[in-house]
Amino acid sequence: MLKLTKTVEYALISMNYIENNSNGKPVSAKSISDQFSIPEELLAKVLQKLVKYKMLESVRGPYGGYKIKTSTKNTNLVYLIESLEGPIGIVDCSISNDCSLLDSCNIKSPIDSINQNIKSVFEKTTLKDIIKGI
Amino acid sequence: MLKLTKTVEYALISMNYIENNSNGKPVSAKSISDQFSIPEELLAKVLQKLVKYKMLESVRGPYGGYKIKTSTKNTNLVYLIESLEGPIGIVDCSISNDCSLLDSCNIKSPIDSINQNIKSVFEKTTLKDIIKGI
DNA sequence: TTATATACGACTAAACTAGTCGTATATTTA
DNA sequence: TAAATATACGACTAGTTTAGTCGTATATAA
């Protein structure tokens, strides 16, 4: 409960590793997967999503891999998480109105408030914090 | 991802409902389950846990049910959640040291910080807030 | 004594998360 | 231009967690 997925975890580990081991050159999925014992194909898919959402750029072929864009260092974790996993919401009705209770729900307001506060925690954390440590 | 369980959700709905429909008399699991279309046996187990951790008290037999203790209204949600679900932690290593990376993990410090901030959100919210709305 | 309601452990079903596999495509270098 | 390396991406399988069900025991009011 209240857990991040491995997808998000691997993304953060990778962003940090790429930043600190790049020297301008692309870092391959394989080298990250070796370093942290992450299944390679799984990691590759995560990195490909980060490319899709403009947090990384990719270079194909030998000596290829992934590079971080300086501009993305100010990206906050809500953007990263929601790119990978969809909207953050501690209950379903935080995301969509698919609740069968609707108006009869007696905790919607406090739950919404908590949800907003949790989003704020991730909003205040940027990739820069992840890369450097806090 | 980052979801509360139904157990916690049902607990909060119940606490609110009991408080606002009790008038000093116990409220049965059945009446709550009817009101919110929650499976009765499941709800009963949740309420029994709330009794076990002193947030409710129970009365057996006909006209029995559950009552809220005034003293528990200042209980915060970390206590409620952790009573029902165990320690809050957005990744496994927030809870125990079962991470295979150990020292080589490059995001432990920022993750720990985020985890602490999330716990704070739940720590600042009390049952009083859930019962009255925020 | 019967009906009502909590107590609680064992079990099953459903949903979600993690991981694997196969194939295609781009690019470097010999 | 062939071989090796590496990304791109969809489909599938396995594993774990969460949700829900069932059976039985116990307490108590009427």
Side-chain angles (χ1 to χ4, degrees):
Chain A
M1 201 209 46
L2 288 172
K3 285 262 187 308
L4 295 178
T5 58
K6 291 288 174 189
T7 294
V8 170
E9 207 179 317
Y10 295 160
L12 298 177
I13 287 174
S14 298
M15 296 297 277
N16 179 301
Y17 186 77
I18 293 170
E19 170 68 10
N20 294 303
N21 293 273
S22 174
N23 293 105
K25 285 178 291 185
V27 176
S28 72
K30 176 117 188 41
S31 70
I32 302 172
S33 109
D34 284 349
Q35 189 69 24
F36 300 101
S37 307
I38 300 170
E40 192 181 342
E41 294 81 6
L42 183 53
L43 179 63
K45 288 208 296 192
V46 174
L47 298 175
Q48 283 154 26
K49 269 201 170 179
L50 293 175
V51 171
K52 183 177 173 191
Y53 289 97
K54 318 285 185 193
M55 282 167 278
L56 288 177
E57 50 190 335
S58 65
V59 180
R60 287 185 172 200
Y63 304 99
Y66 299 87
K67 292 200 286 189
I68 252 176
K69 295 193 214 169
T70 316
S71 63
T72 64
K73 288 180 193 169
N74 292 313
T75 301
N76 68 51
L77 292 199
V78 170
Y79 180 78
L80 182 138
I81 291 172
E82 296 199 333
S83 295
L84 296 171
E85 302 287 0
I88 292 173
I90 58 171
V91 291
D92 289 341
C93 70
S94 311
I95 295 165
S96 67
N97 275 21
D98 63 355
C99 176
S100 58
L101 294 178
L102 294 169
D103 295 337
S104 76
C105 176
N106 59 3
I107 57 169
K108 182 158 179 47
S109 152
I111 288 286
D112 282 348
S113 164
I114 291 167
N115 194 56
Q116 193 46 57
N117 289 336
I118 286 179
K119 281 185 75 169
S120 292
V121 170
F122 289 107
E123 219 151 46
K124 282 177 198 148
T125 312
T126 65
L127 285 178
K128 215 179 285 170
D129 299 321
I130 296 299
I131 287 168
K132 298 182 175 181
I134 294 180
Chain B
M1 200 208 49
L2 289 170
K3 286 263 189 305
L4 295 178
T5 58
K6 292 288 175 188
T7 294
V8 171
E9 207 179 317
Y10 295 161
L12 298 178
I13 287 173
S14 298
M15 296 298 276
N16 178 301
Y17 186 78
I18 293 169
E19 169 68 9
N20 294 301
N21 293 273
S22 174
N23 295 104
K25 285 176 291 185
V27 176
S28 72
K30 177 117 187 44
S31 69
I32 301 173
S33 109
D34 283 348
Q35 187 70 23
F36 300 100
S37 307
I38 300 169
E40 191 179 343
E41 292 81 5
L42 182 53
L43 179 64
K45 286 208 298 193
V46 174
L47 298 174
Q48 282 154 28
K49 268 201 168 178
L50 292 175
V51 170
K52 182 177 173 191
Y53 289 97
K54 318 284 184 193
M55 283 167 278
L56 288 178
E57 51 190 335
S58 64
V59 180
R60 287 185 173 199
Y63 304 99
Y66 299 88
K67 292 201 285 187
I68 252 175
K69 295 193 213 165
T70 315
S71 62
T72 64
K73 289 181 193 170
N74 292 314
T75 302
N76 68 50
L77 292 199
V78 171
Y79 179 77
L80 181 138
I81 291 172
E82 295 198 332
S83 295
L84 295 172
E85 303 286 0
I88 291 174
I90 58 171
V91 292
D92 289 343
C93 70
S94 310
I95 296 166
S96 68
N97 274 21
D98 62 355
C99 177
S100 58
L101 295 177
L102 293 168
D103 295 337
S104 77
C105 178
N106 59 3
I107 56 167
K108 182 159 177 48
S109 151
I111 288 286
D112 282 348
S113 164
I114 291 167
N115 195 55
Q116 193 46 59
N117 289 336
I118 286 179
K119 280 185 74 168
S120 292
V121 170
F122 290 106
E123 219 152 47
K124 283 176 198 149
T125 311
T126 64
L127 285 178
K128 215 180 284 170
D129 298 320
I130 295 298
I131 287 169
K132 297 184 177 183
I134 292 177

